[in-house]
């Protein structure tokens, strides 16, 4: 049997789909399971042991329209040659729908709530269950008669790369400005917990980290180094971001602060995850820039350092 999973992006969503690959491999141990994604997620997917072959597409925003179309047609030709038995479109958008619909597979399965007209490319459609988001992906397994394990990410914990033990990872950044907890709070946090080492990671606006119990690993780092740093940590503190999902999938105790997004929908899935979301009327707003002119960023500024310390202690001690 040959099975193709289509999930093009993004970092956190792809991680939440890994239990789908694990469930398929457990149910069909002799099957070949392949994956289609954007090219910047190839390395991440390569750590999922159930996946045999990874097809990639360049994102049109970076590659340009014409090269993207050429690459897309070549990819479609490669997929049709493989004669897949089942294609699962976990993305549910126009590009993924075309790949699924023209794949030549015997079974073309996608979600009922697919967008951009992709729903017309499926022969079988799955009604999405209520949140969290991962349930939409796990429903594909249930549809195929497989009882899913939401924690079966099967990501490896890589050997330690830091010359420090018993540290807490801090990821203070996000692509959305509205998801960032105030910098002063992170600095206050490290000052109030001098007995802990904090390792800062991520890419974003610079702010000073001068405390002796802080290690600055911010900037571009390879994925394997990121996985090693997070996988060997006592805990991770983050906003709603890809590294938070990675931390949860690696089994690292993970504290996630939510502001403009909804924790019930977008929370990382893991056995040791605590989410914090303040009770303000404008949250969740799902805006990448705060529109509250009277109390800007109140959804995250309302989350106090004391609350984060309390929740972090619960994670570490359990």
């Amino acid at each position: 049997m040959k099975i193709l999973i289509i999930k093009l992006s993004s970092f956190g969503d792809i991680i939440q789909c890994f239990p789908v690959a694990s469930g398929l491999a457990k149910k069909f141990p002799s099957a070949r399971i392949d994956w289609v994604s954007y090219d910047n997620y190839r390395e991440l997917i390569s750590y999922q042991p159930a996946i045999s072959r990874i097809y990639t597409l360049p994102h049109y925003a970076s590659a340009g329209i014409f090269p993207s179309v050429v690459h897309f047609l070549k990819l479609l030709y490669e997929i049709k040659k493989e004669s897949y038995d089942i294609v699962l479109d976990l993305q549910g958008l126009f590009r993924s729908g075309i790949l699924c619909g023209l794949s030549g597979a015997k079974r073309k399965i996608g979600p009922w709530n697919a967008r951009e007209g992709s729903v017309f490319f499926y022969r079988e459609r799955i009604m999405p269950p209520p949140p969290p988001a991962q349930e939409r992906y796990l429903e594909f397994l249930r549809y195929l008669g497989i009882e899913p394990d939401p924690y079966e990410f099967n990501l490896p914990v890589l050997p330690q790369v830091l010359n420090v033990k018993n540290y807490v990872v801090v990821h203070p950044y996000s692509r959305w400005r509205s998801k960032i907890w105030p910098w002063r709070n992170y600095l206050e946090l490290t000052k109030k917990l001098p007995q802990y080492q904090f390792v800062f990671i991520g890419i974003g606006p610079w702010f000073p980290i001068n405390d002796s119990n802080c290690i600055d690993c911010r900037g571009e780092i390879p994925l394997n180094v990121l996985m090693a740093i997070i996988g060997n940590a006592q805990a991770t503190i983050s906003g709603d971001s890809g590294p938070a999902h990675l931390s949860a999938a690696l089994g690292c105790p993970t504290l996630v602060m939510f502001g403009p997004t909804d924790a019930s929908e977008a929370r990382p899935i893991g056995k040791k995850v605590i989410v914090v979301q303040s009770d303000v009327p404008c949250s969740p707003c799902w805006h990448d820039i705060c529109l509250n002119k009277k109390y800007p960023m109140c959804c995250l500024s309302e989350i106090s350092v004391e609350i984060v310390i309390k929740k972090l202690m619960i994670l570490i001690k359990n």
Side-chain angles (χ1 to χ4, degrees):
M1 179 183 290
K2 293 181 180 180
I3 304 172
L4 180 65
I5 295 171
I6 305 175
K7 184 59 179 173
L8 305 178
S9 65
S10 57
F11 191 91
D13 293 326
I14 286 174
I15 290 173
Q16 291 203 349
C17 289
F18 282 170
V20 175
S22 300
L24 290 169
K26 186 180 291 186
K27 177 69 173 181
F28 309 112
S30 61
R32 197 185 90 186
I33 304 170
D34 298 337
W35 195 300
V36 184
S37 78
Y38 287 132
D39 47 17
N40 49 322
Y41 302 114
R42 173 186 284 277
E43 184 182 358
L44 173 63
I45 298 167
S46 71
Y47 287 106
Q48 219 303 335
I51 302 304
S52 298
R53 180 177 180 180
I54 304 168
Y55 302 95
T56 62
L57 279 170
H59 198 285
Y60 59 85
S62 58
I65 296 296
F66 182 73
S68 296
V69 170
V70 172
H71 195 113
F72 185 87
L73 294 175
K74 289 181 179 178
L75 173 60
L76 184 58
Y77 175 73
E78 289 294 317
I79 289 174
K80 287 178 68 70
K81 281 200 308 182
E82 292 296 332
S83 299
Y84 284 97
D85 297 285
I86 302 174
V87 175
L88 305 177
D89 182 7
L90 305 185
Q91 190 76 32
L93 295 176
F94 182 68
R95 298 181 94 189
S96 60
I98 291 179
L99 286 174
C100 182
L102 302 183
S103 64
K106 298 173 184 175
R107 301 184 68 180
K108 306 168 187 178
I109 308 174
W112 265 104
N113 63 337
R115 293 175 291 161
E116 299 177 356
S118 58
V119 69
F120 298 107
F121 292 104
Y122 313 134
R123 287 182 178 172
E124 303 170 57
R125 289 176 286 184
I126 295 174
M127 184 64 67
Q134 193 201 37
E135 285 298 306
R136 294 198 292 268
Y137 311 132
L138 298 182
E139 193 66 16
F140 281 78
L141 291 181
R142 298 187 185 100
Y143 181 79
L144 294 172
I146 304 170
E147 184 58 37
D149 181 347
Y151 307 118
E152 199 171 24
F153 300 96
N154 289 342
L155 287 174
V157 176
L158 301 179
Q160 177 64 280
V161 294
L162 297 178
N163 190 25
V164 61
K165 295 181 180 179
N166 302 324
Y167 59 89
V168 175
V169 170
V170 178
H171 180 257
Y173 298 116
S174 173
R175 286 184 297 176
W176 287 21
R177 287 170 52 190
S178 58
K179 290 184 181 181
I180 298 175
W181 200 42
W183 307 124
R184 63 183 182 275
N185 289 5
Y186 284 109
L187 301 183
E188 183 182 344
L189 173 72
T190 60
K191 289 181 184 298
K192 287 188 173 182
L193 295 174
Q195 69 274 33
Y196 288 96
Q197 290 286 322
F198 292 90
V199 177
F200 282 77
I201 62 170
I203 302 172
W206 182 89
F207 65 96
I209 302 173
N210 300 318
D211 292 337
S212 60
N213 63 333
C214 295
I215 300 171
D216 193 350
C217 292
R218 293 176 295 177
E220 291 276 0
I221 58 175
L223 178 60
N224 64 320
V225 174
L226 177 66
M227 291 177 65
I229 291 174
I230 293 176
N232 291 283
Q234 277 189 296
T236 296
I237 301 173
S238 177
D240 178 17
S241 65
H245 289 276
L246 179 61
S247 177
L250 287 168
C252 179
T254 306
L255 172 61
V256 191
M257 291 172 281
F258 280 82
T261 51
D262 189 352
S264 65
E265 164 71 19
R267 62 173 293 151
I269 303 299
K271 293 182 178 180
K272 299 178 181 178
V273 176
I274 291 179
V275 298
V276 182
Q277 187 155 21
S278 60
D279 185 19
V280 295
C282 57
S283 175
C285 67
W286 297 99
H287 291 296
D288 58 353
I289 297 176
C290 181
L291 303 180
N292 190 330
K293 303 302 182 184
K294 188 175 182 180
Y295 303 108
M297 296 292 293
C298 63
C299 59
L300 283 172
S301 60
E302 285 288 318
I303 300 175
S304 69
V305 174
E306 289 71 26
I307 290 174
V308 172
I309 290 176
K310 179 181 178 182
K311 299 297 185 181
L312 178 62
M313 293 302 101
I314 292 172
L315 273 175
I316 291 177
K317 292 175 181 179
N318 289 343

